[in-house]
Amino acid sequence: MMKEIFCKLLVIGAGPGGYVCAIRAGQLGIDTVIVEFGKPGGTCLNVGCIPSKALIHAAEEFEKTSHMASGKSPLGISIATPSIDLEATTAWKDGIVSRLNSGVAGLLKRAGVKTVHGWAKFRDGKTVEVQTETGMQVVRAEMVVIATGSAPVELPFLPFGGAVISSTEALALSEVPERLAVVGGGYIGLELGIAFAKLGAKVSVVEALPRVLAQYDAELTRPVVKRLTELGVEVLVGAKAKGLSSKGDALLVETGNGRNAKIAADRILVTVGRKPVIEDWGLEQIDLAMAGKFIRIDDQCRTSMRGIFAIGDVTGEPMLAHRAMAQGEMVAEIVAGHKRSWDKRSIPAICFTDPELVTAGLSPEEAKRLGGEIKVGLFPFAANGRAMTKMSEDGFVRVVARADNHLVLGIQAVGQGVSELSTAFGLALEMGARLEDIAGTIHAHPTQGEGFQEAGLKALGHALHV
């Protein structure tokens, strides 16, 4: 027998967008149900942001100790040759994920949200059927939020399975592959490629575009490209992956000059992007307007159907957990009758390569395209005392502002640990800071954050330390 639940708000998907939306709705006293097929937290918590940062940290620590074992550490530290048990590393990573899973489940419960485990399919715009372990459950809701997220793109000539893996499998390996070929030189491919290179794998990256990390400007990515060379990562740009060798032990590649090549590999990691999860949940039963392959939304995350909202990766770029979270919180407040709309000046993006990249707002090129004169201030970490003491002098902070009124349009940084500066960058843009605001804010010494103040001063024409 089908069980029926009635609620005011139904959220489909318990990733960062969905669970934040449900928690906020629950806090606001809205009768809320959330449906999730897997574990709470979605891709980000279970097979994305969190586990990849754990692996990246383990790789950094291993590389540091390997450097010390070589006797080349300028810190004067020498140790015996280290080894890594990737199974133990993975177990540690899984422990963190498990703690966060429980945390999200507990927050949903505390907010009074009912969680239904299963796969939701629309019957109509206000009704879904959920296949649970105990049978079919029908949920009827006044309003629905679609937060189904995204999944790795599979290449038809390199289907996932065996030696060909996605980021999900890469984060669950029990041993470090001897040779790893990475198809796609975007942020996911390079984050994981660099981590495995530090763990001892021989890594090759194949990128079809003329350079890796093509979504960032070349000045910003230069320190990362330099580091790839230092780590012995082979980078083939303007090259196309063609398929697997007949023995399954190599990646077939067409190089930039049209030649065919073979890259020997135990594992082939395909990271050519992510696609929205829009299949198998009854999209054909409801009539939503699309924007390409994504669900079209307005500035309040409303779809073309009344009472149906969509948030997060299923609605397109930027596919970032924090964007989904902000959208989820906003939608919950709209459902509660609050006046809210989406007017974000900045959604910072971080690439956890070595060194790290942060962008917020417009790059110099994007700002120039908008018309009008701009000022750019760049401060190198080579002139920063804290960066020197951390052996992290590569990189810089760069501020882009209008020349007439000094309104800050964008901030970028590349360097060790600069991900933590993203908060200051986002805050400055969201509050409409001018160069004088950044330059006039007393920054603590010695910190890498001082580079932000110095970049502001440089744009004003009177940097103090460079």
Side-chain angles (χ1 to χ4, degrees):
M1 186 177 121
M2 285 199 191
K3 289 193 286 182
E4 291 204 1
I5 302 174
F6 296 85
C7 62
K8 173 144 187 188
L9 180 67
L10 166 65
V11 181
I12 300 171
Y19 83 70
V20 165
C21 183
I23 288 168
R24 184 68 186 123
Q27 288 173 347
L28 292 165
I30 296 164
D31 179 21
T32 305
V33 171
I34 191 164
V35 179
E36 173 55 55
F37 179 70
K39 290 179 179 172
T43 292
C44 179
L45 197 162
N46 293 289
V47 291
C49 326
I50 300 296
S52 67
K53 300 307 112 37
L55 180 73
I56 286 164
H57 178 67
E60 281 170 0
E61 294 298 299
F62 182 71
E63 200 227 357
K64 272 184 205 166
T65 52
S66 300
H67 204 62
M68 290 167 187
S70 70
K72 292 176 187 167
S73 172
L75 302 177
I77 303 170
S78 59
I79 56 168
T81 305
S83 63
I84 187 156
D85 176 354
L86 197 62
E87 242 175 299
T89 310
T90 301
W92 165 74
K93 175 262 292 180
D94 289 343
I96 293 169
V97 170
S98 178
R99 275 163 56 202
L100 290 169
N101 281 145
S102 303
V104 172
L107 290 167
L108 287 164
K109 196 172 180 181
R110 197 191 311 162
V113 176
K114 179 173 173 55
T115 301
V116 177
H117 293 284
W119 189 270
K121 277 198 173 187
F122 276 97
R123 194 190 275 178
D124 58 47
K126 293 190 183 298
T127 317
V128 301
E129 293 177 352
V130 185
Q131 186 63 55
T132 69
E133 284 180 2
T134 56
M136 189 66 79
Q137 188 147 45
V138 175
V139 184
R140 299 186 191 277
E142 286 177 41
M143 281 176 257
V144 182
V145 177
I146 298 168
T148 50
S150 63
V153 169
E154 186 175 46
L155 292 171
F157 50 86
L158 277 174
F160 294 132
V164 182
I165 59 174
S166 74
S167 55
T168 300
E169 293 79 40
L171 292 166
L173 292 174
S174 56
E175 54 186 41
V176 179
E178 212 171 293
R179 298 157 307 176
L180 175 71
V182 180
V183 180
Y187 75 96
I188 298 172
L190 288 198
E191 282 183 4
L192 294 175
I194 286 172
F196 279 108
K198 288 178 176 179
L199 292 171
K202 172 73 185 100
V203 177
S204 301
V205 176
V206 177
E207 172 55 62
L209 292 171
R211 58 188 189 84
V212 293
L213 297 173
Q215 69 268 50
Y216 302 100
D217 63 88
E219 183 177 45
L220 198 63
T221 58
R222 202 166 288 125
V224 179
V225 173
K226 179 185 163 197
R227 186 76 176 112
L228 287 168
T229 304
E230 287 171 7
L231 288 167
V233 175
E234 178 189 23
V235 179
L236 284 80
V237 291
K240 293 185 181 75
K242 289 292 187 188
L244 206 53
S245 64
S246 53
K247 286 184 184 172
D249 61 350
L251 175 69
L252 305 177
V253 176
E254 186 186 311
T255 62
N257 55 16
R259 290 191 185 153
N260 290 323
K262 257 188 187 184
I263 297 172
D266 307 296
R267 300 279 181 174
I268 295 162
L269 170 59
V270 178
T271 60
V272 292
R274 296 185 64 82
K275 60 180 182 183
V277 176
I278 52 171
E279 279 113 40
D280 299 329
W281 49 256
L283 182 60
E284 63 284 352
Q285 300 300 321
I286 53 176
D287 188 22
L288 295 184
M290 305 296 284
K293 56 188 177 178
F294 299 103
I295 296 173
R296 197 180 80 206
I297 53 169
D298 67 6
D299 65 352
Q300 291 187 312
C301 295
R302 295 179 192 276
T303 68
S304 57
M305 278 186 78
R306 184 175 297 176
I308 299 184
F309 297 82
I311 60 174
D313 287 6
V314 79
T315 65
E317 296 288 352
M319 288 189 179
L320 298 167
H322 42 285
R323 168 182 175 258
M325 289 170 162
Q327 286 177 322
E329 183 199 26
M330 176 188 72
V331 167
E333 294 187 357
I334 289 169
V335 170
H338 296 204
K339 285 197 83 167
R340 280 293 307 271
S341 66
W342 179 259
D343 179 22
K344 292 285 162 203
R345 282 169 181 259
S346 156
I347 304 172
I350 303 167
C351 179
F352 289 88
T353 43
D354 179 10
E356 294 173 347
L357 299 169
V358 175
T359 60
L362 305 176
S363 69
E365 288 77 14
E366 288 165 339
K368 277 176 198 159
R369 282 203 293 272
L370 284 183
E373 292 289 306
I374 63 164
K375 283 181 180 286
V376 178
L378 185 149
F379 184 80
F381 284 125
N384 177 271
R386 184 67 182 121
M388 290 179 188
T389 64
K390 288 172 68 184
M391 296 196 303
S392 55
E393 294 177 41
D394 267 356
F396 56 83
V397 181
R398 187 177 66 196
V399 177
V400 184
R402 280 174 56 155
D404 55 1
N405 61 7
H406 296 174
L407 179 71
V408 177
L409 301 173
I411 310 155
Q412 299 85 34
V414 54
Q416 196 187 92
V418 293
S419 54
E420 294 301 329
L421 295 179
S422 63
T423 308
F425 297 170
L427 184 64
L429 286 162
E430 198 65 30
M431 295 188 76
R434 295 174 194 269
L435 290 172
E436 289 81 359
D437 297 316
I438 295 166
T441 300
I442 297 172
H443 286 60
H445 176 77
T447 62
Q448 282 181 260
E450 285 177 276
F452 187 25
Q453 182 183 23
E454 290 280 356
L457 285 164
K458 183 86 189 288
L460 288 167
H462 50 91
L464 294 169
H465 288 93
V466 70

